[in-house]
Amino acid sequence: MPLTRRAKQGLAAALAAGSALTAFAAAAPAQAGTAAGTSSAGTSVEGSPVTCTSHRPGLADRLERDIAASLHGHGKASALALYDRTTDTSCAFRADTAFDSASVVKVTILGALLRQVADANRHLTSREVDLTTAMITKSDNAATNALWHQIGHDGIQHFLNLAGMRDTVPGPKGTWGRTQITAGDQVKLLRLLTSDNSVLGTRSRSYALRLMNRVVPDQRWGTPAGAPGTATVHVKNGWLSRSTNGWRVHSVGVFTGGGHDYGMAVLSHDNRTMENGVATVERAARAINRDLNLPKAS
């Protein structure tokens, strides 16, 4: 879909942010009589399978088909993972493939800081509140750089170990935007932010989600595309252009409230322009948001 005038203005601002960042640098169709959660080989996109499982009859098959259609032509340069607790649904497409993180790593940095604060049995300082707010709501690179160095490699890695994000590799020599991430690990992080766990306490999770809900309007593209109006949307996007693999454009989001409890990560590279990448991510997001929110069959 064409971007709105406001979104185009946001993309222009994002190009400048991307340049700064570079410098820092399936299930079987659920049918009557089929056991819930049964999985099959899934539907392929350019040789890679989309695999889904679901306890809602027919949903896994629909998601596989629609995700595959949405990524047609970009299947070798994208990845996706999602969960929906209300229907016990999950999907994966190249979910263990590594991508340069761009700014979606900022949620991981926030998680690592919140874990350090909890371990020290203290509250965030006013400086840390200012930095984390700028980092998440405005995707501010200078704030991210300050927090990345404050937390340190060991602090980031400690959080990754606790979170079970074993495929995530912090960027070399302070280049946080080149952290290697996977869609699967990003969904692990989103699950942590939206459920009781021993890694992040209630206060930390609420703080992170509140910031993701307050992302500035021009950066609310990506996974929120097609989201139901009854859901509370929490999002963080990333964009980065390099000489190899073109534009990296990623989006992670969780959707809560109003009976919703799901999240997704959509990653892409080899985009000719940032706008092309946004379109790729949003095609997949619209398909997922639509399918997860179809009325139940009577």
Side-chain angles (χ1 to χ4, degrees):
M1 291 183 65
L3 296 177
T4 64
R5 180 180 179 184
R6 188 174 194 178
K8 286 181 178 178
Q9 292 172 341
L11 290 181
L15 291 172
S19 297
L21 180 56
T22 303
F24 292 145
Q31 301 173 359
T34 300
T38 300
S39 177
S40 74
T43 302
S44 292
V45 185
E46 299 169 38
S48 297
V50 182
T51 56
C52 299
T53 61
S54 181
H55 279 192
R56 177 178 290 179
L59 180 56
D61 181 55
R62 179 184 294 274
L63 280 165
E64 287 178 356
R65 183 181 67 245
D66 291 348
I67 290 170
S70 72
L71 295 176
H72 179 71
H74 208 79
K76 293 182 179 180
S78 56
L80 177 152
L82 71 92
Y83 70 90
D84 178 23
R85 292 190 179 98
T86 62
T87 58
D88 195 12
T89 296
S90 63
C91 292
F93 172 69
R94 301 179 75 237
D96 59 354
T97 301
F99 290 75
D100 287 338
S101 66
S103 287
V104 294
V105 75
K106 293 172 182 179
V107 182
T108 299
I109 295 170
L110 176 60
L113 174 66
L114 293 172
R115 178 67 198 197
Q116 276 193 343
V117 167
D119 286 343
N121 194 28
R122 65 175 180 85
H123 297 290
L124 290 169
T125 66
S126 59
R127 173 181 175 273
E128 289 168 339
V129 169
D130 289 343
L131 290 174
T132 53
T133 299
M135 177 176 70
I136 299 298
T137 67
K138 300 178 182 179
S139 206
D140 185 272
N141 290 336
T144 308
N145 201 39
L147 289 170
W148 178 266
H149 289 293
Q150 174 183 321
I151 297 163
H153 181 277
D154 289 348
I156 297 291
Q157 190 61 56
H158 179 60
F159 175 73
L160 294 174
N161 293 342
L162 292 175
M165 298 169 66
R166 297 179 179 84
D167 293 328
T168 300
V169 181
K173 298 181 180 178
T175 53
W176 44 265
R178 291 173 58 192
T179 295
Q180 296 300 288
I181 62 169
T182 65
D185 269 5
Q186 289 299 295
V187 161
K188 286 181 181 179
L189 178 57
L190 298 179
R191 285 181 177 272
L192 281 178
L193 293 176
T194 54
S195 64
D196 291 337
N197 62 82
S198 61
V199 181
L200 293 173
T202 301
R203 180 176 296 179
S204 294
R205 298 195 308 271
S206 296
Y207 182 74
L209 291 174
R210 186 162 64 250
L211 292 183
M212 292 173 70
N213 177 245
R214 291 169 50 198
V215 166
V216 294
D218 286 341
Q219 294 182 21
R220 295 182 70 82
W221 45 265
T223 50
T230 52
T232 300
V233 175
H234 316 267
V235 64
K236 185 69 194 82
N237 296 323
W239 55 94
L240 169 66
S241 178
R242 298 183 64 197
S243 58
T244 57
N245 296 123
W247 277 94
R248 291 95 165 118
V249 180
H250 314 315
S251 183
V252 299
V254 290
F255 306 83
T256 61
H260 307 287
D261 188 1
Y262 66 96
M264 70 179 91
V266 186
L267 313 180
S268 72
H269 60 204
D270 279 345
N271 297 291
R272 185 173 54 84
T273 65
M274 181 179 171
E275 191 169 12
N276 292 153
V278 172
T280 296
V281 170
E282 291 195 342
R283 280 194 301 271
R286 287 184 186 281
I288 293 165
N289 281 314
R290 180 185 65 242
D291 289 355
L292 290 181
N293 293 286
L294 287 173
K296 294 181 180 179
S298 58

